[in-house]
Amino acid sequence: MSKFNEIAVDLMRRTAAYVPDFDFEGADPATADKPWGNWLKAELGFRNHWYPTEASRNIRNGEHKAIKLLGEDILFLRRGGRLYAIEDRCSHRGTRFSKRPVCYTDDTITCWHHAFTFNLDDGRIRCLLNDPDTSLAGRKGIKSYPVREEKGVIFTFVGDMNPPPPLEHDVPPGFFDEDVAICVADPYLVKANWRLGSEGGYDPGHHYIHNWSKFSINARIPMTFGWVSKKEAVLETSIYELKENGPKGFTRLASETTMSMTARIPGRNGADDKEVILPIAAAQTPSEMELLGQHVPTTEVGEWLPCGLKVDPWPFPGVIHNEYYVPRDADSHYYFQCGWRNVENEEQAQEWAEGDLGQVRWKVPVVDDFTVQDAEAREYIHEFYASEDGWNQEQTARFDIELLMWRVFAGEHCRGIQEEKHTRGHFKR
Amino acid sequence: MSKFNEIAVDLMRRTAAYVPDFDFEGADPATADKPWGNWLKAELGFRNHWYPTEASRNIRNGEHKAIKLLGEDILFLRRGGRLYAIEDRCSHRGTRFSKRPVCYTDDTITCWHHAFTFNLDDGRIRCLLNDPDTSLAGRKGIKSYPVREEKGVIFTFVGDMNPPPPLEHDVPPGFFDEDVAICVADPYLVKANWRLGSEGGYDPGHHYIHNWSKFSINARIPMTFGWVSKKEAVLETSIYELKENGPKGFTRLASETTMSMTARIPGRNGADDKEVILPIAAAQTPSEMELLGQHVPTTEVGEWLPCGLKVDPWPFPGVIHNEYYVPRDADSHYYFQCGWRNVENEEQAQEWAEGDLGQVRWKVPVVDDFTVQDAEAREYIHEFYASEDGWNQEQTARFDIELLMWRVFAGEHCRGIQEEKHTRGHFKR
Amino acid sequence: MSKFNEIAVDLMRRTAAYVPDFDFEGADPATADKPWGNWLKAELGFRNHWYPTEASRNIRNGEHKAIKLLGEDILFLRRGGRLYAIEDRCSHRGTRFSKRPVCYTDDTITCWHHAFTFNLDDGRIRCLLNDPDTSLAGRKGIKSYPVREEKGVIFTFVGDMNPPPPLEHDVPPGFFDEDVAICVADPYLVKANWRLGSEGGYDPGHHYIHNWSKFSINARIPMTFGWVSKKEAVLETSIYELKENGPKGFTRLASETTMSMTARIPGRNGADDKEVILPIAAAQTPSEMELLGQHVPTTEVGEWLPCGLKVDPWPFPGVIHNEYYVPRDADSHYYFQCGWRNVENEEQAQEWAEGDLGQVRWKVPVVDDFTVQDAEAREYIHEFYASEDGWNQEQTARFDIELLMWRVFAGEHCRGIQEEKHTRGHFKR
Ligand code: FES
Ligand code: FES
Ligand code: FES
Ligand SMILES: [Fe+2]
Ligand SMILES: [Fe+2]
Ligand SMILES: [Fe+2]
């Protein structure tokens, strides 16, 4: 097996016993403690990572926005042209700044309740407006968050590593390539734990849901009953990466995956089988089918820590879809979506990011339509996992193997687990 | 006392010490552990019983409806003319079928998420549409529920006895008589625990509430300040039944109950007493009173496991009112009501069940009016019992004796108690 | 230090270590168990005190109103010209009387469910309408509450002392003076724990919020960045009172408090400081400023058990503002406000209480405007204290010293702490 990616082989060995029909020589036996224990703990997200948070255009100079990440309430403000992210809670007696953010200078915020005044960059107390000689000046007041803006995306670092590791390690490969332009959709709230997004975005078996997408139907994109992940296909085309100096995750070529548009429901007691054809497939002429068949195999899909998916190409050649399931709290996440395109100059980049091109080739078919199905599907399994013991009750199928491999990989190579104690009101001063 | 129903005597002996003014020779002393312990545990209902669930007409062929019973989420579907009831949650990853039930054949359902396909009758996995060779085929996937439809009512068995006991043991006597036609009202939700329905539907003392019913007022039905259950009357007219092969419950003739339409509030410190006359009584001429007095004594009231009440006749001679308090969850139940009438042929049965007759003689006065007061009264005591320690704080009166007897009887002769572990997500595969 | 109020000195000694920059000789060292432990326990209010509850005018003869105080659900009724307060829950089976209060006589209430009939004054069972001979007659049924009405205010005693201590001990001094007329505002609900009202109403540092009050802006009242409580000023002007036979609390002359309308935000790294002037201050001519400066120093502020604030004068000379933060439950309190004025005769009293005078000189500027900012500020810190460990996480400033002193004083000299067990459903019969 040495011709395969070693990490993939190792992950498969440890998870093979948890799905049926997976004859893997030397597989570890199933145990009560599953090998994805860290994944189960990560209800509030992975700590010490960068997260895409908002489109830069949505917080203009002088504006602010309160956003909750991994259970932490954060206030974003742009002042004097610079973006800041601070705890949305005064250290004095807990007042929410976001109700009325007062900035007498471009680098401070003054609490509207008793006028404690903080540095926007490091959160330290600058002064008390009513007590100039206070010894609190210079002391830590509120928590501040490292932010970076790249290609129109605001990224926030949630954790306590100082300095934080490079943002470049927390986005899928290629994002920072010079010739890649990014079209950013407005993020929106999905009422499901972020892990259901992270599992479901990749999940090979879930493609069936897209038969109900208007884009699939109108554009006659041939969906399937779900891809099947056969052992050989998975091993041959999965490449997990663990470079010290780069993003951690995997890519997988979809070309080797069986995609069938017909299926058979066996009859019982001697009755005939029922042949089922996907409506979309039935609507294609044979030559159309062939044409589309050529398109699909080139798709490369992959996931990257902490919570990013990359599909190359999608939905059209030359476009890459990149989405994130950003933890908000135990019961919701933000759906953050980017469309990538190779461009040759700034004009083309702008046309893609802000003009009609990105809208027509990516946002309208994907964000406004196709992935709405994904968001919906996650919401419909949240209750099961959140309050019905779903993590123990799920009945896995063969095609879930890759999902379990991702659980193990992500849980082991993330930089930490966000816990309740890291969230509201528990910051050290 | 041997001339009385032995079960009634036994129940009275065990509960007499818990009400005032009940001089019962040989009564058991009151203890901290009340003899109706099982009743206190049965917050989610009695397990292993049949429950009326919906009117047959409300789930037509091709339609479906999601209904929660005893904390279990159930999907009802009619396909190929046959009614099915299955767990509304896919065994794979918990998706709710009811969001988009896909039935490629009349005897299967396919999950819209990853196309797991289940038998509608036994819940076993028929096949995976994207993995025809899966070894999961034929294995238990989801829970399925026995259903029966009789006289326009869908009954569902909630429990784990296999086969289930006869439905005939779980409905009040007479329901299945050939000449009895049933008019079924649409069930509706009451925001109160089901036991408050079961106690309150029978409760002799609660008749006072019906003085505020428009039906009582408009039709000048003489309500009271509540019936009083005197020891002799209870013993003389109560017949509890515990046949091995039939429904378990009791009937009681209301004729022997004191019903007064006037009352007296004693004055204090030498002040005069205040004579109180029910408004309804005041509105009757003496001859009207006499006429109505003749009607009431013939009323036979009774309760039957698991949660059915039968009042014969009500509201007019020749009509029997039969209602059920079907447990939904700890804080709500369905109010399921049936009107019975003796008929001579199919035409008469239809006129009663679907025509104007059942509407005018039963549904409009009773379901749309009179019992609305009952539903309301249950909602107004729910908080006390659910979160204010009501089961220990209640201050019983003499007329509560029969209610306590029913608590003991029902708790002892039900087939089991529904527990949290039986509900969502805890089904064995 | 003997020239200062001894109680104030003692309170300061015990709290000085919990604020910065407070050089107090002989101060107790800070400990993990703070000296205001009772304050932390009093989430539901102080037990065995009188509370202002409603304006007399809002419950007229024949009317009723259900109000929750300290977690207890109470029904107020006026019958035969007399005001009563009883538990809003029938002792029989918990029915809420307030849904349909039936009073056949002026001194009884009959439960609309099973006709239990109770004395309105002592809550004892008068009779059962359907069981005249019941031995329950004369027994304790429901809880009743002492009420008193003074100067248009309904006061209610919540606790179990019998007889209750005098109401006169639970209102700020002067309320009962013969020449004091009271204008009562309709109380309203604030979604914050009552202690945040009690701390925030007095809180010297919170004056900054009133820069956003329309009254301050329109009338050009010179607000500040918050008063600063210097040790000397606090000691010299604070007088705590602990008379056996009178209200317990304190007064403090605001005259000795530094009030600045300009402030300075220090620049960093050699940058210039930023001079900040309150908009209101900038809008005043120097002579106006001087004029207003003369007005302020005469203000006397004080708090009194259980939850009353008195500001003399406010907002104009000759008017006293008196407000209460009446505990409703853990997450809300009623804001009860009174305006006082000295009058010479009944006509003047009436003009103040009901005519245009009280409206224009007190209610419109204060209740409808100025104190709305206070209510809002309390709501914006409630989450921090209720669920974010705020009582341990707060970062106090020097000007918080008086607030901590009040916590200690109030917690030690209240008559008791309301607990969950005193509230719903736990009354002894
Ligand atoms: S709460 Fe912010 S300064 Fe007091
Ligand atoms: S959740 Fe139903 S098939 Fe996956
Ligand atoms: S609940 Fe009030 S009399 Fe029964
Ligand atoms: Fe998808
Ligand atoms: Fe009734
Ligand atoms: Fe204020």
Side-chain angles (χ1 to χ4, degrees):
Chain A
M1 281 193 185
S2 59
K3 67 171 175 155
F4 303 133
N5 178 277
E6 278 182 33
I7 303 167
V9 172
D10 178 62
L11 292 169
M12 193 179 278
R13 173 170 39 238
R14 296 163 66 190
T15 53
Y18 296 92
V19 297
D21 308 318
F22 225 89
D23 181 27
F24 188 96
E25 211 182 331
D28 292 352
T31 56
D33 277 356
K34 287 157 188 162
W36 53 87
N38 275 349
W39 186 256
L40 300 184
K41 288 182 203 150
E43 189 175 35
L44 289 172
F46 292 142
R47 188 162 172 79
N48 283 314
H49 282 275
W50 289 92
Y51 289 95
T53 309
E54 182 52 278
S56 289
R57 66 174 176 274
N58 288 339
I59 306 177
R60 283 177 296 193
N61 202 35
E63 294 184 342
H64 69 277
K65 192 160 193 171
I67 300 175
K68 194 195 283 283
L69 294 179
L70 289 76
E72 305 191 20
D73 287 298
I74 308 177
L75 177 64
F76 294 83
L77 313 93
R78 200 184 299 273
R79 292 291 183 274
R82 178 168 166 192
L83 183 77
Y84 299 98
I86 56 170
E87 182 185 350
D88 185 15
R89 187 190 304 98
C90 182
S91 62
H92 177 224
R93 303 199 63 202
T95 302
R96 293 268 168 155
F97 299 123
S98 52
K99 145 88 181 161
R100 184 183 286 138
V102 178
C103 295
Y104 287 117
T105 70
D106 274 346
D107 61 355
T108 61
I109 187 166
T110 295
C111 177
W112 57 272
H113 204 154
H114 310 90
F116 268 51
T117 299
F118 304 91
N119 296 334
L120 284 174
D121 55 4
D122 63 11
R124 288 183 184 278
I125 293 173
R126 177 78 65 94
C127 62
L128 305 197
L129 292 191
N130 62 351
D131 197 6
D133 303 326
T134 183
S135 67
L136 291 175
R139 284 193 27 203
K140 188 72 184 171
I142 53 173
K143 184 168 177 181
S144 64
Y145 296 79
V147 284
R148 260 184 72 186
E149 288 184 282
E150 297 292 340
K151 302 193 180 193
V153 178
I154 294 172
F155 290 91
T156 311
F157 182 77
V158 181
D160 41 29
M161 291 171 72
N162 191 359
L167 164 60
E168 284 72 5
H169 295 186
D170 281 351
V171 289
F175 183 92
F176 283 99
D177 288 359
E178 261 185 40
D179 59 347
V180 167
I182 305 284
C183 182
V184 185
D186 289 339
Y188 67 90
L189 199 74
V190 178
K191 290 181 185 161
N193 185 264
W194 75 277
R195 292 169 297 178
L196 303 179
S198 180
E199 295 177 358
Y202 176 71
D203 179 7
H206 91 287
H207 286 222
Y208 183 53
I209 68 171
H210 294 296
N211 286 282
W212 287 273
S213 139
K214 290 188 197 72
F215 171 59
S216 306
I217 291 168
N218 292 339
R220 294 202 276 175
I221 309 288
M223 287 298 122
T224 70
F225 289 106
W227 297 358
V228 171
S229 307
K230 295 204 171 138
K231 184 175 73 176
E232 294 73 20
V234 173
L235 287 178
E236 275 159 23
T237 68
S238 296
I239 299 179
Y240 280 81
E241 293 193 12
L242 268 178
K243 293 194 197 106
E244 185 66 30
N245 194 27
K248 294 182 169 60
F250 72 93
T251 56
R252 159 126 144 79
L253 260 187
S255 62
E256 300 297 327
T257 296
T258 306
M259 297 180 69
S260 60
M261 278 167 273
T262 60
R264 184 173 294 274
I265 297 178
R268 287 191 301 184
N269 311 323
D272 286 346
D273 292 359
K274 165 88 180 207
E275 179 79 27
V276 182
I277 301 170
L278 284 183
I280 283 169
Q284 311 284 335
T285 64
S287 61
E288 285 172 330
M289 290 286 280
E290 202 176 348
L291 204 68
L292 288 159
Q294 292 163 6
H295 164 54
V296 175
T298 62
T299 308
E300 197 181 81
V301 182
E303 289 218 271
W304 301 90
L305 280 172
C307 62
L309 178 81
K310 182 181 167 193
V311 185
D312 179 7
W314 181 252
F316 299 110
V319 180
I320 292 175
H321 179 71
N322 166 222
E323 63 181 35
Y324 303 84
Y325 323 99
V326 181
R328 183 181 178 271
D329 58 20
D331 295 316
S332 64
H333 67 275
Y334 297 106
Y335 202 178
F336 198 100
Q337 300 178 72
C338 298
W340 303 8
R341 186 176 178 81
N342 284 79
V343 293
E344 284 168 20
N345 51 48
E346 184 51 35
E347 194 186 346
Q348 280 185 8
Q350 201 157 336
E351 194 200 353
W352 176 250
E354 299 161 33
D356 288 344
L357 191 60
Q359 296 290 315
V360 172
R361 298 293 285 176
W362 175 69
K363 184 161 175 294
V364 168
V366 175
V367 176
D368 298 348
D369 187 319
F370 194 82
T371 59
V372 170
Q373 311 280 331
D374 290 294
E376 190 178 69
R378 293 170 221 159
E379 295 190 339
Y380 271 88
I381 60 171
H382 176 70
E383 191 181 12
F384 181 66
Y385 284 97
S387 60
E388 299 177 15
D389 199 24
W391 297 105
N392 289 313
Q393 295 292 328
E394 57 183 10
Q395 186 177 36
T396 55
R398 179 162 59 148
F399 57 79
D400 289 319
I401 185 77
E402 294 176 85
L403 198 152
L404 304 186
M405 290 163 68
W406 171 245
R407 290 181 182 176
V408 174
F409 179 86
E412 277 180 1
H413 299 292
C414 65
R415 297 193 195 98
I417 308 283
Q418 180 82 344
E419 296 173 46
E420 189 65 30
K421 72 175 182 205
H422 296 122
T423 62
R424 308 189 320 174
H426 297 287
F427 302 129
K428 283 281 183 320
R429 307 290 167 200
Chain B
M1 281 196 182
S2 60
K3 67 170 177 157
F4 302 133
N5 177 277
E6 281 182 30
I7 302 167
V9 172
D10 178 63
L11 291 169
M12 192 179 276
R13 171 166 41 234
R14 296 164 66 190
T15 52
Y18 298 92
V19 297
D21 308 317
F22 225 89
D23 180 27
F24 189 95
E25 209 183 329
D28 292 352
T31 55
D33 278 354
K34 287 157 188 162
W36 53 87
N38 275 349
W39 185 257
L40 300 184
K41 289 182 203 150
E43 189 175 36
L44 290 171
F46 291 143
R47 189 163 171 78
N48 282 315
H49 282 276
W50 290 91
Y51 289 95
T53 309
E54 184 50 279
S56 290
R57 66 174 177 275
N58 287 339
I59 306 177
R60 283 176 297 193
N61 204 34
E63 294 183 343
H64 69 276
K65 192 159 193 171
I67 299 174
K68 192 194 288 280
L69 293 179
L70 288 75
E72 306 192 18
D73 287 297
I74 308 177
L75 176 65
F76 293 82
L77 314 92
R78 203 183 297 274
R79 292 291 183 273
R82 180 169 165 191
L83 183 76
Y84 299 98
I86 57 170
E87 181 185 351
D88 185 16
R89 185 189 305 98
C90 181
S91 63
H92 177 224
R93 304 200 62 202
T95 301
R96 293 270 167 152
F97 299 124
S98 51
K99 145 87 180 161
R100 184 183 286 136
V102 178
C103 295
Y104 288 118
T105 72
D106 274 346
D107 62 354
T108 61
I109 188 166
T110 297
C111 177
W112 58 272
H113 204 156
H114 310 88
F116 268 49
T117 299
F118 304 90
N119 296 333
L120 285 174
D121 55 4
D122 63 11
R124 289 183 183 278
I125 294 172
R126 178 77 66 91
C127 61
L128 305 196
L129 292 191
N130 62 352
D131 196 5
D133 304 326
T134 183
S135 67
L136 291 174
R139 286 198 17 209
K140 190 70 185 173
I142 54 174
K143 184 167 176 181
S144 64
Y145 296 79
V147 285
R148 260 184 72 185
E149 287 183 283
E150 296 293 341
K151 302 192 179 194
V153 177
I154 295 173
F155 290 93
T156 310
F157 182 77
V158 181
D160 41 28
M161 292 172 72
N162 192 358
L167 164 60
E168 284 72 6
H169 295 186
D170 281 351
V171 290
F175 183 92
F176 284 99
D177 288 357
E178 260 184 40
D179 60 347
V180 166
I182 305 284
C183 182
V184 186
D186 289 339
Y188 66 89
L189 198 75
V190 179
K191 289 180 185 163
N193 186 263
W194 76 276
R195 289 167 300 178
L196 303 179
S198 181
E199 295 176 0
Y202 176 72
D203 179 10
H206 91 287
H207 287 222
Y208 183 52
I209 68 170
H210 294 296
N211 285 284
W212 287 273
S213 141
K214 290 186 195 75
F215 172 59
S216 306
I217 292 168
N218 292 340
R220 294 203 274 173
I221 309 287
M223 286 299 120
T224 71
F225 289 104
W227 296 359
V228 171
S229 307
K230 298 205 169 137
K231 185 176 71 176
E232 296 72 20
V234 173
L235 287 178
E236 274 160 25
T237 69
S238 294
I239 300 179
Y240 281 79
E241 292 194 13
L242 268 177
K243 294 193 197 105
E244 184 68 30
N245 195 27
K248 294 181 168 61
F250 72 93
T251 56
R252 159 128 145 77
L253 259 186
S255 61
E256 299 297 327
T257 297
T258 306
M259 297 179 69
S260 59
M261 277 167 276
T262 61
R264 183 172 296 272
I265 298 179
R268 287 190 301 182
N269 311 325
D272 285 344
D273 292 358
K274 163 91 181 204
E275 180 79 27
V276 181
I277 302 170
L278 283 183
I280 284 168
Q284 311 283 337
T285 65
S287 62
E288 284 173 329
M289 288 286 280
E290 200 176 351
L291 205 68
L292 287 159
Q294 291 162 6
H295 164 54
V296 176
T298 63
T299 307
E300 197 180 83
V301 182
E303 288 218 272
W304 301 90
L305 281 173
C307 62
L309 177 82
K310 185 182 166 190
V311 186
D312 179 8
W314 183 253
F316 301 110
V319 180
I320 293 173
H321 178 72
N322 166 221
E323 63 181 34
Y324 303 84
Y325 323 98
V326 182
R328 183 180 178 273
D329 58 19
D331 296 314
S332 64
H333 67 276
Y334 297 105
Y335 202 178
F336 198 101
Q337 300 178 72
C338 300
W340 302 9
R341 186 176 179 82
N342 284 80
V343 293
E344 283 166 22
N345 51 47
E346 183 52 33
E347 194 185 345
Q348 281 186 4
Q350 201 157 338
E351 194 201 352
W352 175 250
E354 298 162 32
D356 288 344
L357 192 59
Q359 297 289 315
V360 171
R361 298 295 285 178
W362 175 69
K363 186 164 173 290
V364 168
V366 176
V367 177
D368 299 348
D369 187 319
F370 193 83
T371 58
V372 170
Q373 311 279 333
D374 291 293
E376 191 178 67
R378 292 172 222 158
E379 294 190 340
Y380 271 87
I381 59 172
H382 176 68
E383 192 182 10
F384 180 67
Y385 284 97
S387 59
E388 298 177 15
D389 197 25
W391 296 104
N392 289 314
Q393 296 291 329
E394 59 182 11
Q395 186 178 36
T396 54
R398 179 163 59 148
F399 57 78
D400 289 318
I401 186 78
E402 295 176 84
L403 196 152
L404 304 185
M405 291 163 70
W406 170 246
R407 288 180 184 177
V408 174
F409 180 85
E412 278 180 1
H413 300 293
C414 65
R415 298 194 193 98
I417 309 283
Q418 180 82 346
E419 298 173 44
E420 189 65 30
K421 72 175 183 206
H422 296 122
T423 62
R424 308 190 319 174
H426 298 286
F427 302 129
K428 282 281 182 321
R429 307 290 169 199
Chain C
M1 280 196 185
S2 59
K3 68 171 177 158
F4 302 132
N5 179 276
E6 280 182 32
I7 303 168
V9 172
D10 179 61
L11 291 169
M12 192 180 277
R13 173 169 39 238
R14 295 164 68 191
T15 52
Y18 298 92
V19 297
D21 309 318
F22 224 88
D23 180 28
F24 189 94
E25 210 183 330
D28 291 352
T31 55
D33 277 355
K34 288 157 187 162
W36 52 88
N38 275 349
W39 185 257
L40 301 184
K41 288 183 202 147
E43 188 174 36
L44 289 171
F46 291 143
R47 189 163 172 79
N48 282 315
H49 283 276
W50 291 91
Y51 289 95
T53 309
E54 183 52 278
S56 291
R57 65 174 177 274
N58 287 339
I59 306 177
R60 283 177 296 193
N61 203 34
E63 294 184 341
H64 69 276
K65 192 159 193 171
I67 299 176
K68 194 195 286 280
L69 293 179
L70 288 77
E72 306 192 19
D73 288 296
I74 307 178
L75 178 64
F76 293 82
L77 314 92
R78 201 183 298 274
R79 291 291 184 273
R82 177 167 166 194
L83 183 76
Y84 298 99
I86 55 170
E87 181 185 351
D88 185 16
R89 186 190 305 98
C90 181
S91 64
H92 178 223
R93 304 198 63 202
T95 301
R96 294 269 168 152
F97 298 124
S98 52
K99 145 90 181 161
R100 184 183 287 136
V102 178
C103 296
Y104 287 118
T105 72
D106 273 347
D107 63 353
T108 60
I109 188 167
T110 296
C111 177
W112 57 273
H113 203 155
H114 310 90
F116 269 50
T117 298
F118 304 90
N119 296 333
L120 284 175
D121 55 4
D122 63 10
R124 290 184 184 278
I125 294 172
R126 177 77 67 92
C127 63
L128 305 197
L129 293 191
N130 62 351
D131 197 5
D133 304 326
T134 184
S135 66
L136 291 175
R139 284 193 26 202
K140 188 73 183 171
I142 54 173
K143 183 168 178 179
S144 63
Y145 296 79
V147 283
R148 260 185 72 186
E149 288 184 281
E150 296 293 342
K151 304 196 179 190
V153 178
I154 295 172
F155 290 92
T156 310
F157 182 77
V158 181
D160 41 28
M161 291 172 72
N162 191 357
L167 164 59
E168 284 73 6
H169 295 186
D170 281 350
V171 289
F175 183 94
F176 284 98
D177 288 359
E178 260 184 42
D179 59 348
V180 167
I182 306 283
C183 182
V184 185
D186 290 338
Y188 65 90
L189 198 75
V190 179
K191 289 181 184 161
N193 187 265
W194 76 277
R195 291 168 298 178
L196 303 180
S198 181
E199 296 176 359
Y202 176 71
D203 179 9
H206 91 288
H207 286 221
Y208 183 53
I209 68 170
H210 293 296
N211 286 284
W212 288 272
S213 140
K214 290 188 198 72
F215 172 59
S216 306
I217 292 168
N218 293 339
R220 295 202 274 174
I221 309 287
M223 286 298 122
T224 70
F225 289 106
W227 297 358
V228 171
S229 307
K230 296 204 170 136
K231 185 176 72 176
E232 295 72 21
V234 173
L235 286 178
E236 275 159 26
T237 69
S238 295
I239 300 180
Y240 281 80
E241 294 194 12
L242 268 177
K243 294 194 197 106
E244 185 68 29
N245 194 27
K248 294 182 169 61
F250 72 93
T251 56
R252 157 127 148 79
L253 260 188
S255 62
E256 299 297 327
T257 297
T258 305
M259 296 180 69
S260 59
M261 277 168 275
T262 59
R264 184 173 294 273
I265 297 179
R268 288 190 300 183
N269 310 323
D272 285 344
D273 290 359
K274 164 91 181 203
E275 180 77 26
V276 181
I277 301 169
L278 282 183
I280 283 168
Q284 311 282 336
T285 65
S287 62
E288 285 173 328
M289 289 285 281
E290 199 174 351
L291 204 70
L292 287 158
Q294 291 163 6
H295 164 54
V296 175
T298 64
T299 308
E300 197 180 82
V301 181
E303 289 218 270
W304 301 90
L305 280 172
C307 62
L309 177 83
K310 184 182 166 192
V311 185
D312 179 7
W314 181 253
F316 300 109
V319 180
I320 294 175
H321 178 72
N322 166 222
E323 63 181 36
Y324 303 84
Y325 322 99
V326 182
R328 183 180 177 272
D329 59 19
D331 296 314
S332 63
H333 66 274
Y334 297 106
Y335 201 178
F336 197 100
Q337 300 178 72
C338 299
W340 302 9
R341 185 175 179 82
N342 283 80
V343 293
E344 283 168 21
N345 52 46
E346 183 52 36
E347 193 185 347
Q348 281 185 5
Q350 201 157 336
E351 194 200 352
W352 176 251
E354 298 161 32
D356 287 343
L357 191 59
Q359 297 290 314
V360 171
R361 297 294 286 176
W362 174 69
K363 186 162 173 293
V364 168
V366 176
V367 177
D368 299 348
D369 187 319
F370 194 83
T371 59
V372 170
Q373 311 280 332
D374 291 294
E376 190 178 71
R378 293 170 221 158
E379 295 190 340
Y380 271 87
I381 59 170
H382 176 69
E383 191 182 12
F384 180 67
Y385 284 96
S387 60
E388 298 177 15
D389 197 25
W391 296 106
N392 289 313
Q393 296 291 328
E394 58 182 11
Q395 185 178 35
T396 54
R398 180 162 58 148
F399 57 79
D400 289 319
I401 186 76
E402 294 177 84
L403 196 153
L404 304 185
M405 291 163 68
W406 171 246
R407 288 181 184 176
V408 173
F409 180 86
E412 277 180 2
H413 300 293
C414 65
R415 297 194 194 98
I417 308 283
Q418 179 82 345
E419 297 174 43
E420 189 64 32
K421 73 176 182 206
H422 296 122
T423 61
R424 310 190 317 173
H426 298 286
F427 302 130
K428 283 280 184 319
R429 307 289 168 201

